[in-house]
Amino acid sequence: MDKRRLGSNGPEVSRLGLGAMGMSDLYGPADDAESIATIRAALDAGITLIDTGDFYGSGHNELLIRDVVKERNREDVVISVKFGSRRSPDGGFQPAPPDTDPVAVKDRLAFTLRRLGTDYVDIYRPTRLNPDVPVEDTVGAIAELVQAGYVRHVGLSEVGASTLRRAAAAHPISDLQIEYSLLSRGIEASILPTARELGIGITAYGVLSRGLLSGHWTPDRELAGNDFRGQVPRFQGENLRANLALVDALGQVAQSIDATVAQVAIAWVASRGPDLVPLVGARRRDRLAESVAAADLVLNEHHLAAIEAAVPAGSAAGNRYPSQHMAKLDSER
């Protein structure tokens, strides 16, 4: 698989990355054996970037990754870890602000290193910011871990342009992880131009809009009780019907170029620039194989125009998160 560099100072990674969250959390039941087989298949297919979070399944996700990475040359795998969200024993999320003060940064990394079975993390980033902790303090603590050899690169997640500037002034930032898809294009206004000005790469999550752009979603699909999409406005009532109409239009474009809807959606994100790396959230090997094929899909100007006509910017119905979550996103301010 072709490689891309994350920003001007980040690591070289595969054109596509694997987002492992759904193997442990938030999207309903998953099978551990299939998850591990999918991670193995991703590495075998040339994917070198695996994204996780220490709070995904309260550490379960890191343990899945450990089972695969221990079989490989550690230097061949780029592991990106988010930290900060606080969990409860019942599996829920605590309403407390993210755990991002300097002492917590080092404490949480200690547990991550043990769970992953490694002595360093390639990219370490707060999943969200704590409004009471300056971003410079959080970045500074990660920078100390870089100096000590426990972290190789500093990343950020879901921050706005002004915060990105402040963070980059404190320490070089390899990449910003943020939602970006045909249905979520808010970063194009100021965040993406600022990242490019600062030499910061983008790892795009939600490229299939949590399954809406997969081509496999149906209006009558029943969600498990722990599937957070049941709270996301885009999956509700009229919003869902309107969004699936957009997917149908995208499906006609995909059919015309002998590709699936998911492949076109992933390839579109990859086409936005060599500084963007889409994260695919496949939980099964068949879905992974479909996504990996998008790395070879070349979209020409005619294809891109047809995609734009099918899913125009701003056409998505409903927000990408529930309102209470949107209000806490630095990237939405």
Side-chain angles (χ1 to χ4, degrees), residues 278-290:
L279 297 173
V280 297
R283 299 192 291 170
R284 304 193 327 242
R285 282 168 287 180
D286 57 339
R287 293 285 191 259
L288 174 71
E290 179 182 14

Side-chain angles (χ1 to χ4, degrees), residues 173-252:
I173 305 298
S174 67
D175 68 304
L176 169 65
Q177 189 175 120
I178 196 163
E179 186 167 355
Y180 188 40
S181 73
L182 279 164
L183 295 180
S184 297
R185 296 176 60 172
I187 72 169
E188 294 175 348
S190 63
I191 295 175
L192 182 56
T194 300
R196 286 174 168 162
E197 175 191 338
L198 298 172
I200 297 171
I202 298 289
T203 42
Y205 77 87
V207 294
L208 296 182
S209 198
R210 298 174 178 82
L212 271 179
L213 291 169
S214 67
H216 305 294
W217 202 272
T218 59
D220 56 352
R221 178 169 174 172
E222 293 187 7
L223 299 177
N226 62 344
D227 192 323
F228 95 110
R229 289 172 293 192
Q231 306 170 29
V232 175
R234 288 183 180 171
F235 289 84
Q236 312 304 316
E238 290 302 319
N239 286 345
L240 177 60
R241 282 183 277 276
N243 291 326
L244 289 179
L246 296 173
V247 176
D248 288 342
L250 185 63
Q252 295 180 32

Side-chain angles (χ1 to χ4, degrees), residues 7 37 56 79 83 118 129 131 149 171 180 191 202 210 228 230 242 289:
Y56 291 166
I79 304 176
F83 68 91
T118 183
L129 296 182
H171 187 276
Y180 188 40
I191 295 175
I202 298 289
R210 298 174 178 82
F228 95 110

